[in-house]
Structures are given as C-alpha cells and as structure tokens.
Amino acid sequence: YVFPAWAWFLCTPFERSSLIVNAWWYGPIFQTIRLFLFLILIFIAFFYDMPFLIFIILLSIVSVITSISDCIASYTFSQKAKFY
C-alpha cells in the first residue's frame, strides 16, 4: 500500500487547485467516484471469494489510478489558475 501513498504525496501541491478556479463540483464528484470504485472492488472480492493478498493488490491499483487521475485533474486546474 506504499505506492498509493507515494502517488497521493506527489499530488499534494495541486490538491486544492479546483477550489481556486471555482470548480467546487470536482471534490464531491471525485470522492463519490472513488467510493463507488472501492465498493465495487469490495463486492467483487466478496462475490468471488478473493484471497486477501489479491484484494490488497487490487485495492492498491485502484488507489494509484484514482490518485494519478486526481493529480492530472488538479494539475489541469492549476494551469487554469495562472490566468486568474
């Protein structure tokens, strides 16, 4: 679970850039999508009786994907903030 923490650490400088450009909708939508992805993963793990190690690996992959997508979106918002 170290890689998701590393990916999230890289995105920290851009974290609140959506609020600067008045994209107030981004935070709730992103967290809702992230919640649904985790719930889907939990359901799949429960339904297919997935081993714990596989679940942790898939959870890490989903966390990295969401962190990187948040980083890309936050960087995009920070580029828009240059013009304000």
Side-chain angles (χ1 to χ4, degrees), residues 10-83:
L10 291 178
C11 298
T12 302
F14 304 115
E15 205 168 73
R16 302 290 178 236
S17 60
S18 63
L19 297 176
I20 294 170
V21 296
N22 201 20
W24 56 268
W25 48 267
Y26 172 73
I29 289 175
F30 174 74
Q31 294 300 333
T32 302
I33 291 171
R34 189 171 161 199
L35 172 69
F36 282 130
L37 287 174
F38 288 148
L39 289 176
I40 289 169
L41 179 62
I42 290 169
F43 175 75
I44 290 171
F46 183 74
F47 186 73
Y48 289 109
D49 198 26
M50 191 179 294
F52 183 70
L53 182 60
I54 302 298
F55 172 73
I56 293 296
I57 290 170
L58 291 177
L59 182 66
S60 296
I61 290 170
V62 169
S63 295
V64 167
I65 290 170
T66 56
S67 296
I68 290 173
S69 65
D70 182 41
C71 189
I72 291 169
S74 296
Y75 180 76
T76 304
F77 289 133
S78 71
Q79 293 301 311
K80 289 181 182 180
K82 286 182 178 181
F83 301 111

